[in-house]
């Protein structure tokens, strides 16, 4: 691939959204809504076109040349001749293009949708400015080939998320949710920065022999790397040896960063609250792209995780644990967006599990399919919320199927894809679960948890569908609901088509009659099978994969069927079983989100307040103010002493000046030894 | 002869300093400053002759220009001070104390 | 020639004392006229014909006329003689003595500035070389008159050559300086309406703080208004 073309296209993908953001932000208010709508969407559309060109180039690149790292410019150059410094370089390979396809493709559809969703909002210029900025930051994050640049993108998406969650900042709950998200993100940021420090110290500065250079075996001959460029770091990762404690710590720190971004336990509590933002934001940032950045991060750092099986096992366990926890909580939530948010958390848990066991391609496959159907679910939910005048409680809905036919059918497609039957999820989810049968810690323990999650997924997906769209309307708003505008329907329908078709076309988890499309593996696996990567997940055999697929899909179908009987046909009163005193705690636990927010409040927030009170009452007035007052007291006394010199009379000032000038001259004469 | 020129210049300068220190009339203070400037000119011209070089005279010329500018501005200030109703007394103008 | 120079130097010193010690401002001014005139003659003796002319034209001609004009305009009262115990007078006399002694000692020892003298030697301090003067062997009795050079080019031509070639940029900048000074003088002395009090220089006497009673007493002389703070003490 021609480096100049790659650099130009990458720069285009980065510049278009930031340009759109600047235009919307600075000129949006004076130039009005039409300008903002066009600029905000066209910039992302053009970026998507550039990504498609990159994809075409990548598919036509010869074998072994499918990864290209180009330097856009040298940002910080510390000392000529040394490697020390930061360069803005981008990696274009299957992984980054795969992510860019999701970011700009799904992002473009959501931008188009936002034109309709935000049509009555006065802050539309600000909205599109933030959204375009998010696309820029996310593209920077996935393109970055330098850890510094990656962290800039990483923090940029957190900033965009903060701004967009708090978009309606006059709502107190939105402001609080934005702050909560930001604080949680910063915990992850700090972990990632610490990981960067450790990498710089342990990998970046290790003796390194650049290719083609003559390096004697003695340590003096090797050069020091002094860099955070990812390719060099990966090339050097094996020098620490397998199971190195340092590498494990680095990987755990990176994983903490990924957990904060991807809302994994124990840093997950911000994601449900983040639903305070406008629904397109939830679809773009908190379902399709930003929250999957953690999956991307671990996949990008796969050469390190391959060599640190302990950290990778922890990642897989946390992912699966979060998945079942979120699925359990999603069962009893009543806010339409929160249910989808918990399902997002659960699905991302599965992806994190996949990258934790080394099934990177499967995890990323599910990432894309999930982006399709989850954006679809959010946008369809957005249509519902829009027509319900911002009512989000599903107990107020019901019977919407007759009133919003296209939205309801799209939602049904999304629910089937989520539940894992017929559409999207049946392929990608079962593909990644199949790897769980032979990989991961204590295989197939996590696989068994995974198929249990399938039941929960089917249950909550169709509970949501049934309660919202079937039955009788339970409020006046629901009775007067109507279908959304065309600009809001078209993206939903396109996403529904993608969610329905993509799995059939891209990759099957099982081989049927010797036939199995596996385009995803073919496209992505070269990234993960390189000279620098370690061992990755074993393919389950065709038979095992088939058995796993049947079990997984069967459990999904059971979950869906039970949910349909409870909430659609209403001939099975399963919730009644949990109303008694023996099992009554289960729904309560689910409804109160396992009391994790309360636990954090008791463990962190309250002791923090108590400590702050103690500091304010005793330490601040006595200690801090004490020494501040002492310093000012000394200065005041001193200046009071010398103030008498300032008489204001010019002649006095002149006298002092003359005295010292003459004294200096005389002293000079004497010191020069001229007076004998 | 050259040392005597330097000595006279030093004396002129010191007398100018004395004038600045003891006189309260700002006009006389300005004249004393002129004395100091002239003392410096004398040194410059003296060295110019002593070292057979014209540079000293050039700088003396510059000093004269600066002195002329200074007198113009200084006397303008005095006129201003007088017009706002203040006495012509440097001890009266002690606002710098505040 | 040396005798003439000596006499001129003594006269300059005496007239300078007159500037400082004359009780009436106009006498100070006249003494200054004498001083600058004598200095002009000294410049002539020292072979600086150009500066002789400039000194007469600029100082005796322009600056001193300006002084006398301002004296006539402002009519300052004569001030009382400084008391002998005034610490400033004592300091000033000591300054005269110190400066003269320093110059005398330095000149006697032939202190010259020498750029090559940067190392810390006994006779070498901060670039000043002690001992070997750069000019004539006996600075007290001889003086350099480059007669040949004077006759060849003439002093005015030599100075002009330097002024308009080597130092043309500083020379041009002095014109800027004079322009600024002229504008400043016009701004300071212009007559503005005191009622509106626009502009910094045109502001009437500021309201006096309580500890400046003499200002508040005199402020109405120009503004015609009652001062904002009239005391109350």
């Amino acid at each position: 691939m021609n480096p100049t073309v790659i650099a130009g296209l990458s720069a285009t993908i980065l510049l278009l959204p930031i340009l759109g953001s600047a235009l919307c932000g600075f000129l949006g208010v004076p130039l009005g809504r039409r300008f903002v709508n066009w600029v905000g969407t066209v910039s992302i559309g053009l970026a998507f076109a550039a990504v498609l060109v990159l994809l075409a180039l990548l598919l036509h690149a010869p074998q072994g040349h499918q990864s290209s790292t180009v330097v856009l410019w040298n940002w910080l150059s510390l000392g000529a001749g040394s490697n020390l410094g930061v360069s803005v370089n981008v990696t274009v390979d299957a992984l980054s293009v795969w992510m860019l396809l999701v970011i700009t493709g799904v992002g473009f559809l959501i931008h188009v949708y936002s034109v309709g969703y935000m049509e009555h909002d006065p802050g539309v210029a600000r909205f599109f400015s933030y959204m375009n900025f998010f696309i820029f930051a996310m593209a920077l994050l996935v393109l970055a080939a330098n850890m510094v640049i990656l962290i800039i993108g990483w923090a940029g998406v957190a900033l965009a998320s903060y701004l967009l969650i708090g978009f309606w900042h006059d709502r107190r709950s939105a402001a609080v949710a934005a702050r909560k998200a930001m604080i949680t993100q910063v915990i992850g940021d700090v972990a990632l920065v610490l990981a960067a420090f450790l990498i710089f110290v342990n990998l970046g500065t290790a003796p390194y022999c650049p290719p083609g250079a003559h390096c004697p075996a003695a340590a003096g001959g090797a050069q020091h790397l002094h860099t955070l460029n990812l390719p060099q770091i990966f090339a050097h990762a094996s020098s620490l040896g397998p199971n190195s404690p340092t590498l494990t710590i680095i990987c755990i720190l990176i994983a903490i960063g990924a957990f904060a971004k991807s809302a994994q336990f124990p840093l997950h509590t911000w994601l449900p609250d983040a639903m305070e933002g406008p629904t397109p934001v939830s679809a773009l940032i908190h379902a399709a792209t930003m929250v999957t950045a953690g999956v991307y991060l671990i996949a990008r750092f796969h050469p390190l995780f391959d060599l640190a099986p302990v950290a990778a096992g922890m990642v897989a366990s946390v992912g699966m644990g979060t998945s079942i926890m979120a699925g359990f909580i999603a069962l009893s939530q009543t806010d339409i967006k929160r249910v989808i948010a918990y399902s997002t958390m659960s699905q991302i848990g599965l992806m994190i599990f996949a990258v934790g066991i080394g099934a990177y391609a499967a995890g990323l496959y599910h990432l894309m399919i999930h982006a399709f159907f989850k954006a679809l679910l959010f946008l369809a939910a957005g249509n519902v919320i829009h027509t319900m005048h911002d009512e989000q409680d599903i107990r107020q809905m019901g019977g919407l199927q007759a009133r919003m036919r296209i939205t309801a059918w799209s939602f049904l497609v999304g629910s089937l894809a989520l539940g894992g039957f017929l559409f999207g999820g049946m392929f990608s989810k079962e593909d990644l679960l199949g790897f769980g049968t032979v990989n991961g810690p204590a295989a197939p323990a996590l696989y068994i948890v995974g198929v249990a999650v399938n039941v929960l997924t089917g249950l909550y997906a169709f509970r949501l569908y049934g309660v919202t769209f079937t039955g009788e309307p339970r409020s006046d708003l629901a009775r007067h609901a109507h279908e959304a505008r065309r600009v809001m329907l078209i993206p939903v329908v396109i996403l529904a088509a993608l969610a329905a078709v993509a799995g059939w076309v891209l990759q099957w988890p099982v081989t049927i009659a010797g036939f199995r499309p596996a385009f995803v593996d073919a496209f992505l696996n070269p990234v993960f099978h390189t000279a620098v990567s370690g061992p990755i997940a074993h393919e389950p055999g065709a038979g095992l994969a088939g058995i796993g697929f049947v079990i997984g899909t069967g459990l999904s179908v059971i979950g869906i069927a039970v949910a349909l009987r409870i909430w659609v046909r209403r001939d099975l009163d399963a919730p009644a079983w949990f109303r008694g005193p023996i099992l009554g705690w289960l729904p309560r636990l689910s409804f109160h989100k396992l009391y994790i927010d309360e636990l954090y409040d008791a463990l962190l927030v309250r002791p923090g307040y108590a400590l702050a009170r103690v500091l304010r009452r005793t330490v601040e007035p006595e200690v801090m103010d004490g020494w501040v007052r002492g310093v000012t007291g000394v200065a005041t006394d001193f200046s009071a002493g010398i103030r008498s010199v300032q008489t204001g009379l010019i002649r006095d000032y002149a006298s002092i000046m003359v005295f010292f000038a003459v004294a200096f001259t005389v002293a000079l004469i004497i010191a020069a030894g001229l007076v004998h | 002869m050259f040392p005597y020129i330097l000595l006279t210049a030093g004396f002129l300068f010191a007398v100018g300093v004395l004038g600045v220190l003891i006189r309260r009339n700002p006009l006389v203070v300005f004249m004393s400053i002129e004395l100091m400037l002239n003392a410096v000119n004398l040194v410059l011209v003296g060295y110019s002759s002593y070292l057979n070089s014209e540079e000293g005279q050039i700088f003396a010329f510059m000093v004269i220009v600066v002195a002329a500018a200074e007198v113009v501005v200084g006397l303008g200030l005095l006129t201003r001070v007088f017009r706002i109703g203040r006495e012509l007394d440097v001890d009266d103008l002690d606002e710098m104390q505040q | 020639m040396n005798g003439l120079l000596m006499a001129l130097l003594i006269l300059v010193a005496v007239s300078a004392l007159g500037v400082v010690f004359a009780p009436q401002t106009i006498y100070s001014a006249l003494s200054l006229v004498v001083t600058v005139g004598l200095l002009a003659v000294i410049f002539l003796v020292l072979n600086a014909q150009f500066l002789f002319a400039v000194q007469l034209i600029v100082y005796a001609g322009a600056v001193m006329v300006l002084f006398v004009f301002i004296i006539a305009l402002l009519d300052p009262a004569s001030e009382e003689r400084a008391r002998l115990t005034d610490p400033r007078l004592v300091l000033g006399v000591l300054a005269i003595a110190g400066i003269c002694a320093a110059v005398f000692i330095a000149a006697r020892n032939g202190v010259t500035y020498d750029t090559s003298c940067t190392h810390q030697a006994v006779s070498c301090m901060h670039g000043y070389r002690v001992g070997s003067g750069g000019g004539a062997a006996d600075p007290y009795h001889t003086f350099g008159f480059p007669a040949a050079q004077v006759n060849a080019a003439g002093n005015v031509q030599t100075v002009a050559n330097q002024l308009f070639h080597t130092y043309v940029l500083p020379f041009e900048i002095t014109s800027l300086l004079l322009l600024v000074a002229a504008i400043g003088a016009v701004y300071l002395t212009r007559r503005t309406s005191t009622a509106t009090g626009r502009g910094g220089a045109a502001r009437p006497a500021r309201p006096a703080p309580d500890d400046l009673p003499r200002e508040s007493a005199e402020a109405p002389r120009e503004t015609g208004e009652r001062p904002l703070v009239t005391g109350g003490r």
Side-chain angles (χ1 to χ4, degrees), chain C:
Chain C
M1 194 66 95
N2 282 357
L4 174 63
L5 191 56
M6 206 69 198
L8 286 168
L9 291 176
I10 291 166
L11 283 175
V12 158
V14 171
S15 63
L17 285 172
V19 174
V20 173
F21 289 106
Q24 297 276 352
T25 317
I26 188 72
Y27 294 161
S28 294
L30 292 178
S31 294
L32 190 57
V33 172
V34 174
T35 310
V36 295
L38 287 170
L39 277 171
V41 179
I42 292 174
F43 290 169
L44 189 61
V45 172
L46 288 180
N47 209 12
Q49 293 94 335
F50 174 64
L51 275 186
F52 159 74
V54 170
Q55 177 88 355
L56 275 185
I57 294 167
V58 174
Y59 264 113
V63 172
M64 290 321 299
V65 166
L66 196 57
F67 264 110
V68 173
F69 179 73
I70 294 290
I71 290 166
L73 181 71
L74 305 185
D75 190 20
S78 66
E79 58 181 297
E80 70 273 24
R81 198 175 286 278
R83 284 174 289 112
L84 284 176
T85 53
D86 187 344
R88 300 191 195 91
L89 180 66
V90 177
L91 180 65
V93 171
L94 281 178
I96 293 180
I99 291 173
C100 290
V103 172
F104 179 75
I105 292 168
R108 190 193 67 189
N109 289 281
V111 176
T112 51
Y113 190 75
D114 186 352
T115 50
S116 68
C117 182
T118 52
H119 60 282
Q120 290 292 317
V122 175
S123 61
C124 197
M125 185 175 160
H126 299 296
Y128 287 95
R129 178 178 291 284
V130 179
S132 60
D138 182 5
Y140 279 87
H141 295 100
T142 62
F143 212 92
F145 286 103
Q149 192 185 338
V150 173
N151 295 337
N155 187 261
V156 178
Q157 284 91 330
T158 326
V159 172
N161 199 34
Q162 290 273 328
L163 201 56
F164 293 116
H165 283 99
T166 317
Y167 297 101
V168 67
L169 188 62
F171 178 74
E172 292 297 333
I173 290 174
T174 55
S175 68
L176 197 65
L177 178 72
L178 284 173
L179 181 68
V180 171
I183 294 172
V186 168
Y187 177 75
L188 283 169
T189 55
R190 85 208 149 109
R191 189 173 296 278
T192 53
S193 80
T194 52
T196 56
R198 281 179 60 246
R203 196 177 301 134
R206 66 200 167 82
D210 284 352
D211 56 353
L212 279 177
R214 58 172 178 269
E215 270 187 54
S216 54
E218 287 170 11
R221 199 169 83 187
E222 196 215 5
T223 61
E225 298 165 354
R226 297 298 303 164
L228 294 175
V229 180
T230 51
R233 291 173 302 269

Side-chain angles (χ1 to χ4, degrees), chain A residues 89-411:
Chain A
N89 44 8
V90 298
T91 288
V92 171
D93 58 5
L95 177 57
S96 55
V97 169
W98 184 262
M99 290 299 291
L100 282 173
L101 282 172
V102 175
I103 294 160
T104 55
V106 177
F108 174 62
L109 292 175
I110 293 171
H111 273 74
V112 171
Y113 177 88
S114 306
V115 171
Y117 193 83
M118 303 301 285
E119 65 181 334
H120 302 303
D121 197 291
V124 66
R126 194 160 55 92
F127 180 81
F128 274 101
S129 180
Y130 292 167
M131 291 284 271
N132 277 10
F133 174 75
F134 169 77
I135 298 282
F136 160 75
M138 192 75 199
L140 188 67
L141 164 61
V142 297
L143 278 172
N146 184 302
M147 207 157 168
V148 177
I149 307 301
L150 186 142
I151 288 172
I152 291 173
W154 189 259
V157 293
L159 171 67
S161 160
Y162 167 79
L163 291 171
L164 284 164
I165 294 170
F167 180 74
W168 289 312
H169 49 77
D170 43 354
R171 272 193 214 159
R172 184 174 162 72
S173 56
V176 171
R179 202 165 60 204
K180 188 175 182 181
M182 192 64 172
I183 290 169
T184 316
Q185 300 284 307
V186 166
I187 294 172
D189 292 353
V190 169
L192 194 59
V193 170
L194 288 178
F197 291 165
L198 277 177
I199 286 174
F200 187 77
V201 170
N202 289 296
L203 295 173
T205 60
Y208 163 72
C209 190
H214 175 66
C215 301
Q223 297 180 4
H224 284 261
L225 198 53
H226 288 307
T227 183
L228 281 169
N229 282 346
L230 296 180
Q232 278 112 313
I233 290 170
F234 296 155
H236 203 64
S238 56
S239 71
L240 287 178
N243 287 318
S244 131
T246 316
L247 203 56
T248 304
I249 291 170
I250 290 172
C251 286
I252 287 175
L253 285 171
I254 292 174
I256 290 173
F259 291 167
K261 190 77 48 184
S262 292
Q264 298 297 296
F265 182 83
L267 298 172
H268 65 280
T269 54
W270 66 271
L271 184 59
D273 291 2
M275 297 301 126
E276 288 289 342
T279 306
V281 173
S282 310
L284 177 62
I285 299 183
H286 306 120
T289 52
M290 186 190 89
V291 288
T292 58
V295 181
Y296 164 80
L297 188 74
I298 294 173
R300 176 56 84 194
F301 282 88
H302 70 92
L304 308 188
F305 280 89
D306 292 342
L307 297 167
V310 176
M314 184 207 80
V315 168
S317 311
V318 169
M320 193 50 88
T322 308
S323 184
I324 191 159
M325 177 196 79
F328 175 62
I329 294 174
L331 275 179
S332 63
Q333 297 301 308
T334 56
D335 183 317
I336 183 169
K337 283 174 74 180
R338 280 179 185 251
V339 176
I340 309 177
Y342 276 107
S343 89
T344 304
M345 203 188 286
S346 173
Q347 298 301 307
I348 292 172
L350 291 179
M351 298 175 214
I352 293 278
F353 161 75
V355 292
I357 61 172
Y360 301 110
L364 288 162
Y365 179 34
H366 192 49
L367 188 156
M368 179 178 271
I369 300 292
H370 171 258
F372 293 154
F373 68 71
K374 195 51 65 72
L376 160 65
L377 287 175
F378 263 118
L379 295 188
N383 284 349
V384 171
I385 293 166
H386 202 63
T387 192
M388 296 282 292
H389 296 281
D390 293 336
E391 177 58 66
Q392 302 191 6
D393 193 333
I394 53 174
R395 289 169 299 190
Q396 305 293 319
M397 300 174 186
L400 294 177
Q401 180 135 44
R403 290 162 184 81
M404 318 178 64
R405 202 154 279 284
I406 301 175
T407 302
W409 279 110
S410 307
F411 202 92

Side-chain angles (χ1 to χ4, degrees), chain A residues 23-92:
Chain A
L23 282 176
C24 290
F26 293 120
L27 299 176
V29 174
L31 291 183
R33 188 174 293 272
R34 282 177 63 86
F35 170 80
V36 170
N37 286 345
W38 279 105
V39 169
T41 50
V42 166
S43 61
I44 308 301
L46 290 177
F48 180 55
V51 174
L52 288 179
V53 176
L54 267 188
L55 177 68
L57 285 176
L58 203 59
L59 290 175
H60 283 93
Q63 195 75 26
H65 293 84
Q66 285 145 331
S67 173
S68 173
T69 299
V70 291
V71 179
L72 293 186
W73 76 90
N74 277 318
W75 182 29
L76 300 172
S77 185
L78 306 177
S82 78
N83 292 318
L84 193 57
V86 178
S87 55
V88 179
N89 44 8
V90 298
T91 288
V92 171

